[in-house]
Amino acid sequence: AQRVTQPEKLLSVFKGAPVELKCNYSYSGSPELFWYVQYSRQRLQLLLRHISRESIKGFTADLNKGETSFHLKKPFAQEEDSAMYYCAPSNNAGNMLTFGGGTRLMVKP
Amino acid sequence: NAGVTQTPKFQVLKTGQSMTLQCAQDMNHNSMYWYRQDPGMGLRLIYYSASEGTTDKGEVPNGYNVSRLNKREFSLRLESAAPSQTSVYFCASSPPGNYEQYFGPGTRLTVT
């Protein structure tokens, strides 16, 4: 069965500190991997996808196939980064996502 | 473009009552989805529809039914609501060949 684990329910850091949100997955095949974000009072939206290999709002995510991890990182957290973050691999057909339990990031001033 | 819209935004039901959650998208997407979001459990897929006229069960379909009325609309029905169905419900859509999903604003449902 496909499983996605985000081990930290809550991550609290100070502004300017580095942040890493962990994601481990158990999947057959080669899934496409995504990070979604939900800011307060806003709808869930795509933050970044592995295949595009881009940095969005200073966040990057590296796929480690050996460890089956897709951790989200940012070198200097900002207060506006406070939100819920969800890791989501797709199935091989690309028509379904499995969401992790989410990590709430709080960036303190 | 309004994107993905959902109605209602909030709803309170008594146990045993029925209701339908509405979802519509104006992006000409083929695939549509219904999720529920519970604290600590992320989003769990209830049903999805790969195209007009087709629907498939997701991870947690029990107690729900869906209708893909046309390409734009995908409704979720609770025939006999139970307190365990208290949750926030999200609808999403996705274009063909693109794994990204676009989400609606959610419906907060409370069953007492």
Side-chain angles (χ1 to χ4, degrees):
Chain A
Q2 299 147 341
R3 297 188 63 176
V4 185
T5 303
Q6 293 180 248
E8 304 122 337
K9 283 189 173 21
L10 173 65
L11 191 60
S12 182
V13 302
F14 285 102
K15 177 182 172 181
V19 64
E20 181 181 51
L21 289 82
K22 293 186 170 56
C23 172
N24 294 94
Y25 64 93
S26 170
Y27 245 74
S28 58
S30 299
E32 176 63 35
L33 288 135
F34 300 82
W35 277 97
Y36 279 79
V37 61
Q38 189 175 24
Y39 300 102
S40 179
R41 297 192 185 88
Q42 293 188 30
R43 63 184 70 192
L44 200 65
Q45 58 187 286
L46 179 67
L47 178 62
L48 58 80
R49 56 192 299 175
H50 161 251
I51 198 169
S52 62
R53 299 190 184 280
E54 56 191 345
S55 172
I56 304 292
K57 299 185 179 183
F59 284 97
T60 58
D62 291 322
L63 174 61
N64 186 322
K65 288 189 177 179
E67 296 179 2
T68 58
S69 67
F70 188 53
H71 303 329
L72 184 69
K73 301 177 185 178
K74 185 169 182 175
F76 306 104
Q78 303 299 314
E79 289 179 70
E80 55 265 30
D81 296 328
S82 296
M84 279 293 291
Y85 291 81
Y86 294 96
C87 178
S90 74
N91 62 349
N92 290 321
N95 60 358
M96 285 176 61
L97 294 174
T98 300
F99 285 85
T103 297
R104 180 170 296 282
L105 175 64
M106 292 179 55
V107 182
K108 297 177 285 188
Chain B
N1 281 354
V4 180
T5 57
Q6 293 182 235
T7 54
K9 285 189 166 52
F10 301 95
Q11 184 71 49
V12 179
L13 292 178
K14 288 186 163 58
T15 297
Q17 286 185 316
S18 63
M19 79 159 296
T20 300
L21 281 64
Q22 307 287 353
C23 173
Q25 52 90 10
D26 61 2
M27 297 175 283
N28 202 36
H29 289 173
N30 285 356
S31 299
M32 296 186 74
Y33 309 83
W34 275 106
Y35 293 91
R36 59 178 290 171
Q37 183 185 42
D38 301 294
M41 302 186 76
L43 279 78
R44 293 181 292 169
L45 183 65
I46 304 171
Y47 272 92
Y48 69 99
S49 170
S51 61
E52 185 179 349
T54 68
T55 61
D56 286 287
K57 295 179 180 179
E59 182 185 352
V60 288
N62 290 347
Y64 305 96
N65 285 303
V66 289
S67 294
R68 183 74 183 269
L69 304 169
N70 47 54
K71 193 169 187 178
R72 289 188 65 248
E73 298 171 288
F74 188 39
S75 61
L76 178 72
R77 182 158 178 84
L78 287 71
E79 290 291 351
S80 179
S84 61
Q85 294 178 303
T86 293
S87 188
V88 181
Y89 291 85
F90 288 97
C91 178
S93 69
S94 179
N98 183 338
Y99 299 26
E100 179 180 355
Q101 294 183 15
Y102 297 77
F103 284 81
T107 295
R108 186 174 294 275
L109 175 68
T110 302
V111 183
T112 60

